[in-house]
Amino acid sequence: MENYVYIALFAPLVSSLFAALFAQKPKIQLVGIVTSLLIGIALFASVILFMNIEETGKAVSVTLMDWIVVGDMDTKFGFSVDQVTVVMMTVVTLISTVVHIYSNYYMESDKSFNRFFSYLSAFVFSMMILVMSDNFLGLFIGWEGVGVCSWLLIGFWYEKKDETRDVNPSISPSWAANEAFIMNRIADLGMLVGIFLIYWNLGTFKYTEVFAHIGDLSHTMLIGIGIALFIGAMGKSAQFPLHTWLADAMEGPTPVSALIHAATMVTAGVYLVIRANPLYSQIPEVGYGIAVLGTFVAIFAASMALVNRDLKRVIAYSTLSQLGYMFAAAGLGAYWVALFHLAAHAAFKALLFIGAGNVMHAMHDELDMFKMGGLKKVMGWTFLYMGIGSLALSGIYPFAGFFSKDTILEVAFNEHTYGIWFILWLTAGLTAFYSFRQVFLVFFGDERYHEIGAHPHEAKPYALWAMAPLAVAAVVVGFFKEDFVEFVTKFLPEYEMSEHTEHMVVILTIITTLVALTGIVVAYLKYAKGLKRNLEFEQNNKLYKLLYNQYYIPVIYDRVFAKPYKELSDIAWKEIDMQVVDASVDGIAKFVEKSGDVSRKAQNGNLSSYLNWMAAGLVIIIVIAAIAVAVQ
């Protein structure tokens, strides 16, 4: 089984390096085919490992090499594939394989086709390091790797400049990439502090050793470590207040959005909390704080999705909202529930993003849903796929989201956190509304795309076939819930529902389904039979403007942090760097130059002049010696 660990880990690296060989050359279709095949091999190896661990119940561990051996520190470059790891590996490689195949269609006309696949595969490799490492230091290497790759991919079309658009702020891909990178560097400082505290107190980075002795630390230290690690998770999973980069990341190619939001970067924070469950189980107050923040983010993001007109941003806000659900479950101690929702969400979220990519291609990169409509007639398969994804996201039976999201609500009810339950329940209704608002605006009603001269068409057959596994997973994953629980709870702690909650499950399910159906019906009545847009309302209603402008948080960040920092930098450059630092360096240089000019006059070739200088030097030496003797 060790060989399969190496195959799963290094196949994406080989894929990235292969594509990199042709990065500066014109499009080579073979690059897309080979890289997709190699990621598929990683998927195959992950499935083999999954089946082996399911059969044996034992983790597969390998040590690649000695890594850091300094003094008492002896850290190996090791990997361990257990139940949680192999679930993440399977999710990551499945979504990545689909995205790679789909990218052959989506990026077919891009001049940097080969370079794109190199970055995309490197992203997968970094995520595999993150989830497969058996220690916090290896996890951090993968953590930073996905950060770098996200910067490369979000800013892939770096030549594009800021544009004035109706549907989202005027930003460029480069700006969005830098925002994501900087936001995550802020959070990663917190994570580094947590890792340093772990080693300082326990003298090891390895998960098994850390969690075996975590109980030996003081409660205060555990709280400090837990908060520090979670700050890192907040950045990667875009939790408030480090959330603004997630929607802006839509400036990257759509396959990148599918990969980031479904299986890689944004799930890393949730994975960290799940992986560190022995720590968070001992500090329930921190866990409760995580659950409260996750709940807030769930409804916070959903509220912004209600009014947004950008197709990709609506889906991005839904990702942010669903991450809130995952953190709510993990914070309340239901770690396997959080992991189950992560896996289920990956399938239908990737399906939605790829469907949005089809629409975007058909509409010549137009993203304003108010300029679409009636696409069901010419994009039947995409409509079907996005309909399945939206039903799953809305939590409608028998789709995957029904099983995972309802379980999170049951956990909140079981923990007697009725405020969290109510907000998540309300968010479920909002989710259904904005999910089908986008479906109805894009595929139903009048064919508004004629006004902008678009001639929509369906995606190529192989792109549609690539989406099929995601659609199947979005439908059937929920039926494997019990098998999933039995599998992962061999590693993760079990979560037991109280007898009272068990009796209430049917009622809770009915209530949640009703609010979701209500959201769909309201969306249908408002948008299905044609666009009903009130421009006066949009321009004058304060609540609408508040939501559309993201609660003005980007504006606040710009005025409170970005602009003062820029002004301070300008002052430091003009007043300190130019006037003090540069002036000092230039002054020294000028002094040396003038001294040279003066001393050069002494080298005039006149013997009598040289004798005069020697006599003067001798007098100076005698005076100095006399002063020294007098002082003594």
Side-chain angles (χ1 to χ4, degrees):
M1 286 296 113
E2 289 84 355
N3 289 336
Y4 288 106
V5 174
Y6 292 127
I7 292 171
L9 178 63
F10 290 113
L13 176 61
V14 174
S15 175
S16 177
L17 295 176
F18 174 78
L21 294 174
F22 309 97
Q24 300 303 317
K25 297 182 181 298
K27 175 190 171 183
I28 301 174
Q29 189 63 53
L30 183 64
V31 169
I33 295 171
V34 171
T35 53
S36 301
L37 180 61
L38 286 167
I39 300 299
I41 290 172
L43 170 61
F44 173 76
S46 299
V47 172
I48 295 295
L49 287 166
F50 191 110
M51 295 169 62
N52 176 262
I53 293 174
E54 183 180 28
E55 181 180 349
T56 64
K58 297 179 180 179
V60 180
S61 299
V62 298
T63 299
L64 186 62
M65 61 182 177
D66 289 336
W67 184 14
I68 303 176
V69 182
V70 180
D72 295 333
M73 180 185 291
D74 185 3
T75 303
K76 311 291 185 184
F77 215 132
F79 303 92
S80 180
V81 180
D82 52 40
Q83 284 83 352
V84 173
T85 304
V86 81
V87 168
M88 290 296 297
M89 289 170 61
T90 305
V91 170
V92 170
T93 53
L94 172 62
I95 303 302
S96 301
T97 301
V98 172
V99 168
H100 272 72
I101 295 172
Y102 179 75
S103 296
N104 281 273
Y105 160 71
Y106 191 86
M107 302 295 291
E108 62 182 351
S109 300
D110 197 281
K111 64 180 182 180
S112 298
F113 180 88
N114 305 332
R115 178 167 62 90
F116 177 81
F117 278 92
S118 179
Y119 292 168
L120 201 66
S121 296
F123 202 172
V124 180
F125 174 61
S126 298
M127 190 65 188
M128 294 296 276
I129 289 179
L130 192 157
V131 300
M132 295 174 69
S133 290
D134 65 358
N135 63 85
F136 281 101
L137 210 53
L139 176 141
F140 189 73
I141 297 299
W143 195 272
E144 295 305 298
V146 295
V148 171
C149 292
S150 68
W151 179 76
L152 293 170
L153 287 165
I154 295 169
F156 185 76
W157 288 322
Y158 59 87
E159 303 96 340
K160 288 185 178 180
K161 305 302 180 184
D162 294 350
E163 301 175 9
T164 301
R165 304 173 186 170
D166 294 333
V167 292
N168 56 273
S170 174
I171 59 174
S172 66
S174 293
W175 193 96
N178 289 336
E179 180 189 22
F181 192 80
I182 293 168
M183 281 280 190
N184 278 276
R185 297 295 72 71
I186 294 170
D188 290 353
L189 177 60
M191 184 177 177
L192 267 178
V193 170
I195 293 174
F196 287 154
L197 287 174
I198 288 172
Y199 186 80
W200 183 30
N201 286 275
L202 298 175
T204 182
F205 296 109
K206 196 166 185 177
Y207 296 143
T208 53
E209 296 172 1
V210 169
F211 297 139
H213 298 94
I214 201 78
D216 299 338
L217 303 183
S218 68
H219 195 69
T220 303
M221 182 56 67
L222 291 176
I223 290 175
I225 294 172
I227 291 174
L229 292 179
F230 181 65
I231 290 172
M234 287 171 62
K236 277 290 182 286
S237 295
Q239 296 298 283
F240 180 88
L242 303 175
H243 66 283
T244 55
W245 71 265
L246 191 68
D248 292 338
M250 296 302 97
E251 295 301 319
T254 301
V256 175
S257 304
L259 197 57
I260 289 178
H261 286 243
T264 53
M265 188 166 171
V266 299
T267 63
V270 180
Y271 168 77
L272 175 60
V273 175
I274 294 171
R275 171 61 64 186
N277 71 86
L279 165 63
Y280 288 104
S281 295
Q282 296 201 36
I283 43 176
E285 59 271 46
V286 175
Y288 182 73
I290 292 172
V292 170
L293 179 63
T295 303
F296 166 74
V297 171
I299 195 166
F300 171 72
S303 66
M304 293 186 287
L306 295 175
V307 300
N308 205 281
R309 292 157 48 195
D310 187 311
L311 176 61
K312 286 176 65 177
R313 282 183 173 241
V314 170
I315 304 173
Y317 285 131
S318 79
T319 298
L320 185 54
S321 183
Q322 296 308 303
L323 288 168
Y325 273 92
M326 296 174 206
F327 277 118
L332 294 175
Y335 301 103
W336 73 259
V337 179
L339 184 62
F340 183 56
H341 191 50
L342 185 156
H345 171 265
F348 56 75
K349 184 51 56 69
L351 185 64
L352 285 170
F353 265 117
I354 293 176
N358 289 350
V359 173
M360 194 174 170
H361 244 323
M363 293 294 297
H364 310 297
D365 293 337
E366 179 60 61
L367 285 168
D368 190 346
M369 295 185 293
F370 286 2
K371 296 179 181 179
M372 300 179 188
L375 289 177
K376 181 176 64 170
K377 298 177 183 177
V378 292
M379 301 185 71
W381 281 104
T382 299
F383 163 66
L384 175 63
Y385 284 142
M386 291 195 74
I388 291 172
S390 296
L391 287 167
L393 178 59
S394 302
I396 303 300
Y397 182 87
F399 299 92
F402 169 83
F403 296 91
S404 58
K405 189 186 294 184
D406 272 33
T407 307
I408 295 174
L409 287 163
E410 291 166 14
V411 168
F413 186 86
N414 188 64
E415 293 294 321
H416 307 292
T417 51
Y418 300 119
I420 290 177
W421 175 87
F422 176 77
I423 294 174
L424 293 179
W425 173 80
L426 181 61
T427 303
L430 299 180
T431 302
F433 173 80
Y434 69 67
S435 297
F436 278 87
R437 170 180 176 264
Q438 91 179 354
V439 170
F440 294 140
L441 280 174
V442 172
F443 295 103
F444 286 68
D446 301 329
E447 298 171 0
R448 299 179 296 278
Y449 53 81
H450 292 309
E451 299 172 8
I452 60 174
H455 302 283
H457 54 84
E458 186 59 279
K460 290 183 178 179
Y462 77 86
L464 296 172
W465 277 109
M467 299 169 70
L470 301 178
V472 172
V475 176
V476 306
V477 162
F479 294 106
F480 294 93
K481 175 182 172 182
E482 296 304 322
D483 296 326
F484 181 88
V485 174
E486 182 181 354
F487 178 70
V488 298
T489 51
K490 292 176 182 177
F491 183 85
L492 294 175
E494 296 183 8
Y495 184 85
E496 297 292 336
M497 297 290 182
S498 67
E499 186 176 343
H500 174 65
T501 304
E502 292 287 356
H503 290 316
M504 292 290 292
V505 164
V506 175
I507 296 175
L508 293 173
T509 300
I510 292 174
I511 292 173
T512 305
T513 302
L514 284 176
V515 76
L517 290 174
T518 300
I520 295 173
V521 170
V522 172
Y524 176 82
L525 294 175
K526 187 168 179 61
Y527 297 108
K529 295 183 179 180
L531 180 67
K532 296 180 180 180
R533 185 181 178 193
N534 188 333
L535 290 175
E536 183 179 353
F537 173 82
E538 293 178 11
Q539 295 169 358
N540 299 322
N541 186 275
K542 293 182 179 179
L543 178 59
Y544 180 92
K545 292 172 70 176
L546 181 70
L547 298 179
Y548 188 78
N549 290 286
Q550 305 172 58
Y551 295 90
Y552 297 100
I553 290 174
V555 176
I556 294 171
Y557 284 177
D558 185 55
R559 293 180 180 177
V560 175
F561 298 109
K563 287 185 177 178
Y565 182 79
K566 184 179 183 301
E567 291 173 1
L568 182 63
S569 299
D570 287 340
I571 293 172
W573 169 50
K574 294 176 182 178
E575 303 299 331
I576 300 177
D577 193 37
M578 298 292 290
Q579 300 297 326
V580 178
V581 178
D582 284 1
S584 299
V585 174
D586 292 344
I588 293 170
K590 289 178 180 178
F591 173 77
V592 172
E593 182 183 14
K594 289 182 179 180
S595 300
D597 288 340
V598 172
S599 61
R600 190 183 299 117
K601 295 177 181 178
Q603 303 293 326
N604 56 12
N606 190 310
L607 182 60
S608 62
S609 177
Y610 291 164
L611 290 172
N612 289 335
W613 281 108
M614 290 174 63
L618 181 61
V619 170
I620 292 172
I621 292 172
I622 292 171
V623 171
I624 293 173
I627 293 173
V629 170
V631 171
Q632 289 180 352

Short mmCIF file of all heavy atoms in Angstrom, two decimals, residues 20 51 98 102 117 140 196 249 277 296 306 342 409 488 515 553 561 574 579 623:
data_model
loop_
_atom_site.label_atom_id
_atom_site.label_comp_id
_atom_site.label_asym_id
_atom_site.label_seq_id
_atom_site.Cartn_x
_atom_site.Cartn_y
_atom_site.Cartn_z
N ALA A 20 4.89 22.12 -17.05
CA ALA A 20 5.84 23.24 -16.96
C ALA A 20 6.89 23.20 -18.06
O ALA A 20 7.41 24.25 -18.46
CB ALA A 20 6.52 23.23 -15.59
N MET A 51 -10.26 1.74 -0.10
CA MET A 51 -10.78 0.37 0.02
C MET A 51 -9.94 -0.45 0.99
O MET A 51 -10.47 -1.24 1.78
CB MET A 51 -10.81 -0.29 -1.36
CG MET A 51 -11.77 0.38 -2.33
SD MET A 51 -11.59 -0.19 -4.05
CE MET A 51 -11.99 -1.93 -3.88
N VAL A 98 -12.03 15.87 -12.49
CA VAL A 98 -13.12 16.46 -13.27
C VAL A 98 -12.73 17.86 -13.75
O VAL A 98 -12.94 18.21 -14.92
CB VAL A 98 -14.41 16.53 -12.42
CG1 VAL A 98 -15.48 17.33 -13.16
CG2 VAL A 98 -14.92 15.12 -12.13
N TYR A 102 -12.37 19.08 -17.58
CA TYR A 102 -13.20 20.21 -18.02
C TYR A 102 -12.35 21.37 -18.51
O TYR A 102 -12.72 22.08 -19.46
CB TYR A 102 -14.09 20.66 -16.87
CG TYR A 102 -14.96 21.85 -17.21
CD1 TYR A 102 -16.08 21.69 -18.02
CD2 TYR A 102 -14.64 23.13 -16.76
CE1 TYR A 102 -16.87 22.79 -18.35
CE2 TYR A 102 -15.42 24.22 -17.08
CZ TYR A 102 -16.54 24.05 -17.88
OH TYR A 102 -17.31 25.12 -18.22
N PHE A 117 -2.24 24.44 -16.80
CA PHE A 117 -2.27 23.08 -16.27
C PHE A 117 -1.12 22.81 -15.31
O PHE A 117 -1.26 22.01 -14.38
CB PHE A 117 -2.28 22.07 -17.42
CG PHE A 117 -3.64 21.85 -18.02
CD1 PHE A 117 -4.06 22.60 -19.10
CD2 PHE A 117 -4.51 20.93 -17.48
CE1 PHE A 117 -5.32 22.42 -19.65
CE2 PHE A 117 -5.77 20.74 -18.00
CZ PHE A 117 -6.18 21.50 -19.10
N PHE A 140 1.87 22.56 7.23
CA PHE A 140 2.11 23.98 6.96
C PHE A 140 2.77 24.18 5.60
O PHE A 140 2.50 25.18 4.92
CB PHE A 140 2.97 24.59 8.06
CG PHE A 140 3.09 26.09 7.96
CD1 PHE A 140 2.01 26.90 8.29
CD2 PHE A 140 4.26 26.68 7.53
CE1 PHE A 140 2.11 28.29 8.19
CE2 PHE A 140 4.37 28.06 7.43
CZ PHE A 140 3.29 28.86 7.77
N PHE A 196 4.32 26.80 16.76
CA PHE A 196 5.47 27.05 17.62
C PHE A 196 5.13 26.71 19.07
O PHE A 196 5.96 26.13 19.80
CB PHE A 196 5.91 28.51 17.53
CG PHE A 196 6.60 28.85 16.23
CD1 PHE A 196 6.58 30.14 15.74
CD2 PHE A 196 7.26 27.87 15.49
CE1 PHE A 196 7.21 30.46 14.55
CE2 PHE A 196 7.89 28.17 14.30
CZ PHE A 196 7.86 29.47 13.83
N ALA A 249 -11.96 36.31 -5.57
CA ALA A 249 -11.20 35.27 -6.25
C ALA A 249 -11.88 34.80 -7.52
O ALA A 249 -11.28 34.06 -8.31
CB ALA A 249 -10.97 34.08 -5.31
N ASN A 277 -9.09 17.57 16.32
CA ASN A 277 -10.24 17.36 17.21
C ASN A 277 -9.86 16.98 18.64
O ASN A 277 -10.56 17.37 19.57
CB ASN A 277 -11.20 16.33 16.60
CG ASN A 277 -10.65 14.92 16.61
OD1 ASN A 277 -10.78 14.17 17.59
ND2 ASN A 277 -10.04 14.53 15.50
N PHE A 296 -22.70 32.73 12.26
CA PHE A 296 -22.80 34.12 11.78
C PHE A 296 -22.41 34.20 10.31
O PHE A 296 -23.09 34.86 9.50
CB PHE A 296 -21.89 35.03 12.62
CG PHE A 296 -21.67 36.38 12.01
CD1 PHE A 296 -22.67 37.33 12.02
CD2 PHE A 296 -20.46 36.68 11.39
CE1 PHE A 296 -22.47 38.58 11.43
CE2 PHE A 296 -20.26 37.91 10.80
CZ PHE A 296 -21.26 38.87 10.83
N LEU A 306 -28.28 37.04 -1.74
CA LEU A 306 -29.68 37.29 -2.08
C LEU A 306 -29.84 38.31 -3.19
O LEU A 306 -30.79 38.23 -3.98
CB LEU A 306 -30.45 37.78 -0.84
CG LEU A 306 -30.60 36.80 0.32
CD1 LEU A 306 -31.29 37.50 1.49
CD2 LEU A 306 -31.40 35.58 -0.09
N LEU A 342 -18.57 18.50 4.23
CA LEU A 342 -17.46 18.91 3.37
C LEU A 342 -17.43 18.06 2.10
O LEU A 342 -17.30 18.58 0.99
CB LEU A 342 -16.14 18.80 4.13
CG LEU A 342 -14.85 19.29 3.47
CD1 LEU A 342 -13.81 19.64 4.53
CD2 LEU A 342 -14.25 18.25 2.52
N LEU A 409 -28.09 20.72 11.48
CA LEU A 409 -29.18 21.35 12.23
C LEU A 409 -29.61 20.49 13.41
O LEU A 409 -29.91 21.00 14.50
CB LEU A 409 -30.37 21.60 11.29
CG LEU A 409 -30.17 22.75 10.29
CD1 LEU A 409 -31.18 22.66 9.17
CD2 LEU A 409 -30.28 24.09 11.00
N VAL A 488 -15.55 6.63 9.25
CA VAL A 488 -14.72 7.71 9.81
C VAL A 488 -14.69 7.71 11.33
O VAL A 488 -13.74 8.22 11.93
CB VAL A 488 -15.15 9.09 9.28
CG1 VAL A 488 -15.00 9.17 7.78
CG2 VAL A 488 -16.55 9.44 9.72
N VAL A 515 -38.93 25.18 5.01
CA VAL A 515 -38.33 26.50 4.81
C VAL A 515 -37.55 26.53 3.50
O VAL A 515 -37.53 27.55 2.80
CB VAL A 515 -37.43 26.89 6.01
CG1 VAL A 515 -36.09 26.15 5.99
CG2 VAL A 515 -37.19 28.39 6.04
N ILE A 553 -18.04 46.52 3.93
CA ILE A 553 -16.80 46.06 4.59
C ILE A 553 -15.58 46.29 3.70
O ILE A 553 -14.55 46.77 4.20
CB ILE A 553 -16.94 44.59 5.01
CG1 ILE A 553 -17.95 44.47 6.15
CG2 ILE A 553 -15.59 44.00 5.43
CD1 ILE A 553 -18.27 43.06 6.56
N PHE A 561 -7.59 50.55 6.56
CA PHE A 561 -6.31 49.83 6.48
C PHE A 561 -5.50 50.18 5.23
O PHE A 561 -4.33 50.58 5.34
CB PHE A 561 -6.55 48.31 6.54
CG PHE A 561 -7.18 47.85 7.82
CD1 PHE A 561 -8.50 47.42 7.84
CD2 PHE A 561 -6.48 47.86 9.01
CE1 PHE A 561 -9.10 47.00 9.01
CE2 PHE A 561 -7.06 47.44 10.20
CZ PHE A 561 -8.38 47.01 10.20
N LYS A 574 9.16 58.98 1.04
CA LYS A 574 9.60 60.33 0.71
C LYS A 574 10.41 60.97 1.83
O LYS A 574 11.43 61.63 1.57
CB LYS A 574 8.39 61.20 0.37
CG LYS A 574 7.67 60.78 -0.90
CD LYS A 574 6.43 61.63 -1.13
CE LYS A 574 5.67 61.17 -2.39
NZ LYS A 574 4.43 61.96 -2.59
N GLN A 579 14.84 61.14 2.21
CA GLN A 579 15.48 62.25 2.91
C GLN A 579 16.53 61.83 3.92
O GLN A 579 17.47 62.58 4.20
CB GLN A 579 14.40 63.10 3.62
CG GLN A 579 13.37 63.71 2.69
CD GLN A 579 13.98 64.70 1.71
OE1 GLN A 579 14.93 65.40 2.04
NE2 GLN A 579 13.47 64.74 0.49
N VAL A 623 53.01 65.13 18.10
CA VAL A 623 52.02 65.78 18.97
C VAL A 623 51.11 64.76 19.63
O VAL A 623 50.83 64.83 20.84
CB VAL A 623 51.19 66.80 18.16
CG1 VAL A 623 50.02 67.30 19.00
CG2 VAL A 623 52.07 67.95 17.71
#
